[in-house]
Amino acid sequence: MIVELGHFALILAFAVALAQSVIPLVGAHKGWRDWMGVASPMASVQFTLTAFAYAALTYAFVVSDFSVKLVVDNSHTLKPLLYKLSGVWGNHEGSMLLWVLILTLFGASAAWFGGNLPRSLQARVLAVQSAVTASFMAFTIFTSNPFTRLAQPPFDGTDLNPLLQDPGLAFHPPFLYLGYVGLSMAFSFAVAALIEGRVDAAWGRWVRPWTLAAWVFLTIGIALGSWWAYYELGWGGYWFWDPVENASLMPWLFAAALLHSAIVVEKREALKSWTILLAILGFGFSLMGTFVVRSGLLTSVHAFATDPDRGVFILVILGVFLGGALTLFAFRANELEAKGVFSTVSRESALVMNNVLLAVSSFVVFIGTMWPLVSEMVFDRVLSVGPPFFDAAFTPFAVALAMILPIGAMLPWKRGNLSRTLRPLWGLAAFALAMGALVWAMQTGSSAIVPVGVALGLWVVMGAATDLWMRTGRGGIAHRLGRLGRLPRADWGKATAHSGLGITVFAVAALTGWESEDIRVLQIGESFDKGGYTLTLAGVERVQGPNYTSTMGVIEATREGEPVSILRPEKRFYPIAGMPTTEAAINYKIHRDLYVTLGDPQDNGGWAVRTYIKPFANWLWMGCALMALGGILSLSDRRYRVAAGAKKRTSPNAVPAE
């Protein structure tokens, strides 16, 4: 009965979404206060109904209700509770219900916290958001119903994909979806502004917190997914330029560009058309990622579905909203007159360069991801575009972005003096270059990527610290330290996020240039040396897990005779799903990871063992965490949450509907 109530609640939410996508728009056009006023309560009702539907599906998974087809296909009575909960979204149908729930959550949040918005703009934003929500509700109800019952329920389920039975995958998709779907709010604000024909400084300030929240969630989601791939898949890497990884990176880059572009709209009322376009493209690439994952167009370890019919439905959604928004943009672009003017040397120009680098790098990733498909369809040639292409094509943009970031952050608005801005940075540049040269001199037979990464990482981190220090003005050290603590949270957030980027750049370079690998067959009791460590295969054990069996290696690691760690890599087999997985054993240290995986048994009685020494791997996750923390600090600044000078007001011509 609860499942049927959940299904009915989702259908009711769909009906409310259809009404909300029309009534407030008409009210805003006519200036009818009461019609505009229904948008907020409707958004709350939508979220409540959808949350009930999601809770009903979760209940079915928790109690193992095998009369529900989705539970049969993705659960099992022996599965731990955490993976029963994550099993709700660990499939196509359930993940679409989570997607819809987050859409309604953002819509309701705009209603709850959008009191400072002009009534007409809020009504239009909520109407556009509801139209997007209604389209995905229709997709879920008519093509991907998660509440389908079975006439003859089986005794037990077929279990969740073993690769998804991991804490990293229990949290990675929700955060990623919060980021993907969060960009729908920037899209809704952009379309609403185009309908009104007005983009001003207040609009730039309103759109920034929603974009910032989406960017933070995307950062966390991508980092969690990267960490999961690192320790779970057993490949030893953190990024593989997989099509679905790329699908998450592209909207992240657009969101970063949108954040910086919205600053120019807010401060200088310039780049209006460009900012609107970024908001449209950011969500458009989120929809593109959804299409890639669920259409079967491209294969990936992350793919949820391979149904072409569902892919066509999503393609229609993508075409309607992206095509419609771009068409409206084409009609309205001439009305978005930029008021602020600025010189070539100014913070505005630096932010324009930032935007260009981020946007072009995203398009480069898009071309590399889609080119194999285009080649096969148009030229009838099967091509594979892998990491070498992406590394070569993407790296120059990342390097250029890191080089200009400290300078651009310190340039004044409107008109700047480059020599004056560079004055406190010359020493930092010299120190960064000296450290890069020192690393180059110390390493032997390695590429230049690590020295470049060291120099760029130091340049970005020290530049962020200098920018923060320069904001304290003049005076003694004690006085400036006191002012440092009183700086706005947004300033601290900016410095923290930029420092996180610098640390990430260094970690990526160190991992790429200094990682070492060893693959060999070991007999039990045999030892070998790697990276200053002695590793001994002490034994191999058979272990019974809650819903799997495991072959676990016991590898003792010592350094100069002193014990370092006992590593237990596993090869698990899930009998219900009939799938094996590889579980890496990792000894984490601040300066390196000792990473070991156990392979298959060999004919001579030995075992294949793969070992990596991964320098500064943890700095990668630390850099991502700092970027997300910087976004959270900025988001907690009251200036981000309250539009400057905004007052809750109605149009002077607003009248009640008759």
Side-chain angles (χ1 to χ4, degrees):
M1 183 64 180
I2 292 179
V3 172
E4 279 70 28
L5 288 175
H7 191 189
F8 183 63
L10 184 61
I11 295 172
L12 281 180
F14 176 53
V16 174
L18 289 175
Q20 185 185 327
S21 63
V22 175
I23 296 174
L25 271 183
V26 175
H29 179 70
K30 297 289 188 179
W32 294 341
R33 289 193 305 270
D34 47 356
W35 282 44
M36 288 188 283
V38 301
S40 292
M42 278 186 167
S44 298
V45 170
Q46 261 194 79
F47 171 68
T48 302
L49 289 170
T50 309
F52 181 83
Y54 189 84
L57 185 63
T58 302
Y59 172 81
F61 270 82
V62 170
V63 301
S64 297
D65 183 354
F66 295 120
S67 67
V68 179
K69 183 178 184 300
L70 195 67
V71 179
V72 173
D73 293 340
N74 297 278
S75 191
H76 190 270
T77 52
L78 296 179
K79 191 168 67 172
L81 178 61
L82 174 63
Y83 304 135
K84 288 184 177 181
L85 295 174
S86 62
V88 179
W89 61 74
N91 55 81
H92 170 71
E93 292 82 359
S95 65
M96 287 312 306
L97 185 57
L98 176 62
W99 181 283
V100 169
L101 175 64
I102 297 173
L103 273 170
T104 62
L105 173 61
F106 274 100
S109 298
W112 299 335
F113 305 114
N116 287 329
L117 293 172
R119 187 184 293 271
S120 61
L121 179 62
Q122 185 186 37
R124 289 186 171 103
V125 168
L126 291 177
V128 174
Q129 183 74 7
S130 188
V132 175
T133 304
S135 66
F136 279 98
M137 283 183 174
F139 175 75
T140 304
I141 293 170
F142 298 121
T143 73
S144 311
N145 182 12
F147 299 104
T148 301
R149 291 278 197 181
L150 293 175
Q152 296 180 334
F155 178 75
D156 217 331
T158 58
D159 210 356
L160 179 68
N161 184 338
L163 288 175
L164 305 181
Q165 296 188 39
D166 181 88
L169 259 290
F171 301 103
H172 158 61
F175 277 105
L176 205 59
Y177 284 12
L178 284 165
Y180 276 145
V181 178
L183 288 175
S184 67
M185 285 305 302
F187 175 84
S188 297
F189 268 92
V191 174
L194 288 173
I195 294 173
E196 284 200 350
R198 185 181 67 184
V199 177
D200 52 18
W203 180 89
R205 195 167 194 83
W206 288 320
V207 79
R208 280 177 66 193
W210 299 104
T211 307
L212 181 58
W215 182 84
V216 168
F217 287 130
L218 264 178
T219 302
I220 296 172
I222 292 172
L224 285 174
S226 175
W227 184 46
W228 166 79
Y230 174 72
Y231 72 79
E232 172 67 20
L233 296 183
W235 298 345
Y238 58 90
W239 193 263
F240 306 100
W241 295 106
D242 176 276
V244 179
E245 290 177 335
N246 295 346
S248 65
L249 177 63
M250 289 183 287
W252 184 86
L253 292 169
F254 272 110
L258 175 58
L259 271 176
H260 294 85
S261 182
I263 296 173
V264 183
V265 176
E266 178 193 345
K267 300 290 186 182
R268 303 289 301 143
E269 292 207 34
L271 302 185
K272 295 180 181 180
S273 297
W274 174 247
T275 305
I276 291 287
L277 183 60
L278 284 176
I280 294 171
L281 291 178
F283 184 57
F285 272 86
S286 291
L287 294 179
M288 182 67 70
T290 306
F291 174 66
V292 167
V293 174
R294 302 171 194 279
S295 64
L297 192 66
L298 297 171
T299 58
S300 166
V301 68
H302 305 79
F304 274 125
T306 57
D307 187 344
D309 293 335
R310 290 172 174 172
V312 170
F313 200 119
I314 296 177
L315 192 60
V316 170
I317 294 175
L318 176 64
V320 168
F321 286 99
L322 185 59
L326 290 175
T327 301
L328 184 58
F329 173 78
F331 279 110
R332 291 286 201 180
N334 291 334
E335 300 178 21
L336 304 178
E337 180 183 355
K339 295 181 179 179
V341 294
F342 50 88
S343 68
T344 304
V345 179
S346 63
R347 186 175 299 186
E348 292 94 328
S349 295
L351 289 171
V352 169
M353 193 175 299
N354 159 288
N355 273 220
V356 170
L357 290 171
L358 288 169
V360 173
S361 63
S362 184
F363 279 115
V364 167
V365 174
F366 174 73
I367 292 170
T369 303
M370 302 303 294
W371 186 250
L373 177 66
V374 173
S375 175
E376 186 172 355
M377 292 176 61
V378 178
F379 305 109
D380 196 26
R381 293 180 58 192
V382 178
L383 295 178
S384 177
V385 178
F389 166 80
F390 290 107
D391 290 342
F394 185 81
T395 301
F397 296 103
V399 170
L401 186 65
M403 289 176 64
I404 69 170
L405 192 151
I407 302 171
M410 294 180 64
L411 278 171
W413 293 102
K414 192 174 182 179
R415 184 178 294 106
N417 186 305
L418 190 59
S419 61
R420 183 180 302 171
T421 302
L422 288 173
R423 196 173 299 153
L425 295 174
W426 283 121
L428 305 183
F431 179 74
L433 289 173
M435 292 303 296
L438 178 63
V439 171
W440 172 265
M442 291 177 61
Q443 68 178 15
T444 55
S446 299
S447 68
I449 188 170
V450 181
V452 171
V454 169
L456 285 177
L458 282 171
W459 167 246
V460 173
V461 172
M462 293 188 302
T466 302
D467 181 28
L468 202 61
W469 181 252
M470 295 298 289
R471 291 178 182 275
T472 61
R474 298 180 180 180
I477 293 180
H479 173 73
R480 297 184 72 174
L481 286 174
R483 292 196 62 184
L484 193 64
R486 295 191 297 272
L487 287 177
R489 293 180 188 175
D491 290 343
W492 279 98
K494 171 187 169 184
T496 303
H498 287 181
S499 298
L501 177 63
I503 291 172
T504 302
V505 168
F506 163 70
V508 169
L511 274 169
T512 304
W514 285 343
E515 177 184 282
S516 61
E517 178 184 4
D518 181 275
I519 305 175
R520 65 179 64 216
V521 175
L522 291 178
Q523 302 289 333
I524 293 179
E526 188 176 356
S527 301
F528 71 99
D529 294 328
K530 179 63 180 174
Y533 298 90
T534 299
L535 293 97
T536 304
L537 180 61
V540 177
E541 306 171 351
R542 304 290 180 180
V543 178
Q544 180 64 50
N547 61 334
Y548 62 84
T549 58
S550 171
T551 301
M552 180 185 292
V554 180
I555 297 178
E556 298 174 351
T558 61
R559 187 180 181 90
E560 297 179 352
E562 296 295 325
V564 173
S565 177
I566 296 179
L567 301 165
R568 301 180 185 275
E570 297 181 66
K571 288 193 70 69
R572 293 179 181 176
F573 180 75
Y574 291 78
I576 303 300
M579 283 183 61
T581 65
T582 299
E583 303 289 327
I586 307 173
N587 176 241
Y588 296 99
K589 294 292 183 182
I590 189 65
H591 64 287
R592 63 97 187 110
D593 282 356
L594 181 58
Y595 185 110
V596 180
T597 61
L598 183 69
D600 296 323
Q602 305 299 302
D603 293 338
N604 62 358
W607 293 83
V609 175
R610 175 174 293 187
T611 307
Y612 298 92
I613 304 294
K614 294 183 170 292
F616 299 99
N618 288 311
W619 289 51
L620 179 63
W621 325 124
M622 182 171 62
C624 293
L626 283 176
M627 283 192 282
L629 176 61
I632 294 170
L633 285 174
S634 294
L635 199 59
S636 68
D637 192 320
R638 188 173 182 273
R639 297 177 303 168
Y640 272 72
R641 293 179 281 110
V642 180
K647 296 180 180 179
K648 193 171 183 179
R649 60 186 185 273
T650 63
S651 169
N653 298 320
V655 295
E658 297 180 0

